[in-house]
Amino acid sequence: MASSTDKTNRKCEIERLPSLKDINNTEKGTDHKIGLNFNWYKMRRPHLLYNSCGYREEQFRRLKKEYGFYSYCMLSVGLSFVLGLVIGAAIVGSPATSPNFIQRKLERINSSKVRVPHERLNSLKLTGNSDEQIKKERDGDRFSAVSFVGSDDPRKYKVDVYPKGLTDDMREILKDTKASDHKHSLPEVVNGMVHVPNDNTVLYNNIYWGPAVENSMPQGYGENSAEIWEKYVDQSEVIKMEAGCGRMQNRLITFQDGIQACVRYRQNTDQIQGEIFSFYVARLLNLTNLAPSVVKVVDLKDKLWQNVANNIATAQWNTNRAVVITQYIPSLDSATIPEIFKPSTRHLNKIDIYKMSVTEKNDTKQLLIDKIRAKNIKTKIEVADDFDYVDVKVNKKTIELFVELAQWSDLIVFDYLTANLDRIVNNLFNYQWNINIMDGPAHNLARKMDSGLLLFLDNESGLLHGYRLLKKYNTYHSLMLDNLCVFRKSTVDALKVMHRLPIGKKLSEVFHQKNSAVIRDILPPLPEKNAKILHERLGKVLAQVDKCEQSFGKH
């Protein structure tokens, strides 16, 4: 054993790199011979010897450890891949993806929905859908009425936000759906008129929206809705009062059955007058774009306010003050100014209606054929102005655009009459400093998601405060009216009736009919001076109608 070890050591000494001592011995001519193996120069690690020395075993152990690590990594990757295949197969074969699986959807009860007492808000509930319900959803069942702004996916709001137990009348005015029998009667045909308006008539008599548009208008809130709301408030009690509805002292109230309303409280009675008399003017014009409103007096002895006396004190309301209670409207989205009324265009007449009808017509295939026939020939479409009606079957998108523009024509007339400062005039005035303001949402204007109805909100500056500032802002009021030449026939007829009447006296009659002596003692009627200004502005709107008839009539 000893001789074998000595032999190995001698071999290692022979096959190792020469030391400095060995080199010196060689130079001195010693007889000691050193045997060198020059194969070590070919190694990546020339400092390691690889024969039978101890370094060889160390190298093998190191390589074995490295290869073992790589083998472990490869094994882990393989196991992960197999596990992924198993999980994927399990998911694909689950009952949730099978044709017979009854889907369940997650419904969100929005926080701004009508708040029923003791009902948990912002909660989620899981409901099962039958095959029939699933098919109905796939067919695109339209918006359900909810109180939410800015939704990109209206189909998720499949919940009735209105409290149970309401009368059919209350549900009708709250939902504002398009009734199946909601048809506007055709206007009387003047003798000698060649064209008789029909269901495809978009425009007739050069300046009036046709039945194709009128019959698609949302029903909104008419006189019947206003009367129902008045009776409802008279018989109701407020059980909850909280911050909301705009200004700091305004409040969102909830009645005993869950119906909500916005209460407008102001120290200045002019703004309360402006809000309620603007509502009366809208009713005389047959506009259905204003939510039902009534005037009430803050009296803690009245059953209406008895339950919220502490909240009234917290809101710093004074008793014996007039407030306006307006129906809270759910399902609202922001509304923007149409392109046709922006500074780059800013006009609406029969030629605009014709161009929009042709551009957006439903027969896309025919448009493609015409384009192929035209090839590279560049032509400019010349629109003759010797027509007095537009009959064309347009697509749904175009009808919705015309319905919106018809409501805007009413809005322009209404805001001019009342000199409302807080809506379009606000955008026009600030346009000189911010050119992008016309691209944003219109101020105090909203759209109902379930019907497309435009809501004319916050009219407190009308008829009083707006009239005091006419010298400064009348240019902006006239800017929109002077470029409008398409009107609703019903609105023009109402304007003519109002202009023939002593409008101040008529508004006073409405005010007395709808309000008690207590309210009339606290809130004065519309001043005579303001009634005269309103009468003058009625005449100016009718003059604009006459100008449009002459400008776009047959020559």
Side-chain angles (χ1 to χ4, degrees), residues 7 48 52 62 159 184 186 232 238 240-241 244 289 313-314 366 388 433 436 489 502 538 553:
K7 185 177 180 180
L48 295 177
S52 59
R62 186 173 299 173
V159 58
H184 290 258
L186 296 178
Y232 175 81
V238 179
K240 186 177 181 181
M241 184 173 170
N289 303 86
T314 303
Q366 185 61 41
D388 60 358
W433 295 289
N436 296 320
K489 184 66 164 55
L538 284 166

Side-chain angles (χ1 to χ4, degrees), residues 113-119 161-171 174 228-229 231-233 235-240 253-261 304 307 327:
K113 60 168 273 187
V114 174
R115 299 178 176 86
V116 181
H118 310 298
E119 183 178 5
V161 303
Y162 301 105
K164 297 180 180 179
L166 294 182
T167 63
D168 293 338
D169 289 337
M170 283 301 297
R171 285 184 175 274
L174 292 178
I228 294 172
W229 181 246
K231 295 177 181 178
Y232 175 81
V233 175
Q235 301 170 1
S236 297
E237 299 178 17
V238 179
I239 62 170
K240 186 177 181 181
I253 61 174
T254 304
F255 295 106
Q256 70 273 16
D257 57 1
I259 293 294
Q260 291 183 304
L304 180 65
N307 299 321
Q327 166 61 45

Side-chain angles (χ1 to χ4, degrees), residues 50-61:
Y50 58 90
N51 278 342
S52 59
C53 301
Y55 295 103
R56 181 179 180 183
E57 285 77 5
E58 182 182 353
Q59 184 181 16
F60 285 161
R61 286 195 302 269

Side-chain angles (χ1 to χ4, degrees), residues 266-453:
R266 292 290 182 274
Q267 296 292 341
N268 190 345
T269 56
D270 282 5
Q271 294 171 315
I272 299 298
Q273 287 176 282
E275 183 71 27
I276 195 62
F277 280 103
S278 293
F279 177 73
Y280 295 156
V281 169
R283 295 301 325 119
L284 293 176
L285 286 171
N286 297 319
L287 302 186
T288 62
N289 303 86
L290 280 73
S293 300
V294 295
V295 180
K296 288 296 177 182
V297 174
V298 180
D299 184 1
L300 300 182
K301 297 179 181 179
D302 190 344
K303 69 173 183 177
L304 180 65
W305 308 105
Q306 283 180 351
N307 299 321
V308 289
N310 293 334
N311 299 104
I312 290 175
T314 303
Q316 297 181 351
W317 284 8
N318 294 324
T319 57
N320 207 35
R321 297 298 296 267
V323 295
V324 177
I325 302 178
T326 302
Q327 166 61 45
Y328 176 78
I329 306 299
S331 184
L332 294 186
D333 197 359
S334 58
T336 56
I337 300 174
E339 289 293 331
I340 201 74
F341 291 125
K342 291 182 179 179
S344 58
T345 308
R346 194 171 286 159
H347 57 71
L348 182 65
N349 53 54
K350 71 175 187 178
I351 297 177
D352 298 319
I353 301 302
Y354 174 80
K355 289 181 178 179
M356 285 186 281
S357 300
V358 173
T359 303
E360 301 292 341
K361 67 181 180 179
N362 195 30
D363 194 357
T364 308
K365 182 178 179 181
Q366 185 61 41
L367 285 175
L368 182 60
I369 293 174
D370 294 341
K371 186 175 181 180
I372 295 174
R373 287 176 179 174
K375 294 184 179 179
N376 296 326
I377 301 177
K378 296 183 179 180
T379 59
K380 182 178 180 181
I381 299 177
E382 297 291 340
V383 180
D385 60 356
D386 59 349
F387 63 92
D388 60 358
Y389 66 92
V390 176
D391 270 5
V392 59
K393 189 173 183 179
V394 294
N395 58 25
K396 183 179 179 180
K397 179 180 177 182
T398 307
I399 284 294
E400 290 176 351
L401 172 61
F402 287 160
V403 166
E404 181 182 13
L405 293 178
Q407 294 180 82
W408 268 85
S409 66
D410 280 345
L411 174 63
I412 292 171
V413 170
F414 177 69
D415 279 359
Y416 180 83
L417 292 177
T418 61
N420 190 305
L421 301 172
D422 295 333
R423 202 163 8 248
I424 307 306
V425 170
N426 175 77
N427 291 59
L428 294 174
F429 181 75
N430 288 287
Y431 179 73
Q432 54 188 318
W433 295 289
N434 180 12
I435 61 175
N436 296 320
I437 195 171
M438 301 299 285
D439 297 327
H443 199 231
N444 289 330
L445 185 68
R447 177 187 290 105
K448 285 205 70 180
M449 295 170 62
D450 55 355
S451 65
L453 178 74

Side-chain angles (χ1 to χ4, degrees), residues 12-64:
C12 287
E13 290 175 358
I14 294 172
E15 295 186 357
R16 64 179 174 82
L17 290 177
S19 65
L20 183 60
K21 181 178 178 181
D22 296 332
I23 294 174
N24 291 334
N25 293 334
T26 303
E27 291 177 354
K28 292 178 181 180
T30 60
D31 295 336
H32 180 71
K33 295 182 179 181
I34 302 174
L36 298 177
N37 186 350
F38 291 96
N39 289 332
W40 62 272
Y41 286 108
K42 300 178 183 180
M43 298 175 58
R44 292 186 179 180
R45 297 180 182 179
H47 59 281
L48 295 177
L49 298 181
Y50 58 90
N51 278 342
S52 59
C53 301
Y55 295 103
R56 181 179 180 183
E57 285 77 5
E58 182 182 353
Q59 184 181 16
F60 285 161
R61 286 195 302 269
R62 186 173 299 173
L63 291 175
K64 182 177 180 181

Side-chain angles (χ1 to χ4, degrees), residues 89-333:
I91 293 176
V92 172
S94 64
T97 58
S98 62
N100 297 326
F101 176 68
I102 299 178
Q103 297 184 5
R104 296 184 298 173
K105 69 175 182 177
L106 203 59
E107 295 182 344
R108 180 174 297 279
I109 304 176
N110 192 271
S111 59
S112 53
K113 60 168 273 187
V114 174
R115 299 178 176 86
V116 181
H118 310 298
E119 183 178 5
R120 183 183 176 186
L121 303 179
N122 288 324
S123 60
L124 299 175
K125 63 178 182 178
L126 200 61
T127 58
N129 290 345
S130 63
D131 293 337
E132 182 179 353
Q133 288 173 316
I134 295 170
K135 183 178 184 301
K136 186 177 181 181
E137 289 184 5
R138 290 176 179 173
D139 291 340
D141 192 16
R142 294 295 176 181
F143 307 110
S144 293
V146 296
S147 178
F148 192 81
V149 176
S151 167
D152 294 329
D153 185 12
R155 298 181 67 180
K156 68 181 179 181
Y157 302 119
K158 306 291 294 180
V159 58
D160 186 358
V161 303
Y162 301 105
K164 297 180 180 179
L166 294 182
T167 63
D168 293 338
D169 289 337
M170 283 301 297
R171 285 184 175 274
E172 182 66 18
I173 70 169
L174 292 178
K175 287 190 174 181
D176 178 41
T177 53
K178 294 180 181 179
S180 57
D181 59 347
H182 177 58
K183 295 288 184 180
H184 290 258
S185 59
L186 296 178
E188 295 181 1
V189 179
V190 181
N191 292 334
M193 181 178 179
V194 176
H195 177 261
V196 178
N198 56 68
D199 288 342
N200 291 329
T201 302
V202 175
L203 178 138
Y204 73 99
N205 270 17
N206 298 296
I207 64 170
Y208 295 125
W209 293 105
V213 179
E214 290 286 359
N215 291 339
S216 299
M217 296 285 287
Q219 69 181 29
Y221 306 98
E223 183 61 34
N224 184 52
S225 300
E227 293 177 356
I228 294 172
W229 181 246
E230 291 168 9
K231 295 177 181 178
Y232 175 81
V233 175
D234 286 340
Q235 301 170 1
S236 297
E237 299 178 17
V238 179
I239 62 170
K240 186 177 181 181
M241 184 173 170
E242 55 191 318
C245 297
R247 300 281 181 97
M248 185 170 57
Q249 285 190 290
N250 287 358
R251 288 296 182 268
L252 176 67
I253 61 174
T254 304
F255 295 106
Q256 70 273 16
D257 57 1
I259 293 294
Q260 291 183 304
C262 286
V263 182
R264 184 178 304 275
Y265 178 92
R266 292 290 182 274
Q267 296 292 341
N268 190 345
T269 56
D270 282 5
Q271 294 171 315
I272 299 298
Q273 287 176 282
E275 183 71 27
I276 195 62
F277 280 103
S278 293
F279 177 73
Y280 295 156
V281 169
R283 295 301 325 119
L284 293 176
L285 286 171
N286 297 319
L287 302 186
T288 62
N289 303 86
L290 280 73
S293 300
V294 295
V295 180
K296 288 296 177 182
V297 174
V298 180
D299 184 1
L300 300 182
K301 297 179 181 179
D302 190 344
K303 69 173 183 177
L304 180 65
W305 308 105
Q306 283 180 351
N307 299 321
V308 289
N310 293 334
N311 299 104
I312 290 175
T314 303
Q316 297 181 351
W317 284 8
N318 294 324
T319 57
N320 207 35
R321 297 298 296 267
V323 295
V324 177
I325 302 178
T326 302
Q327 166 61 45
Y328 176 78
I329 306 299
S331 184
L332 294 186
D333 197 359

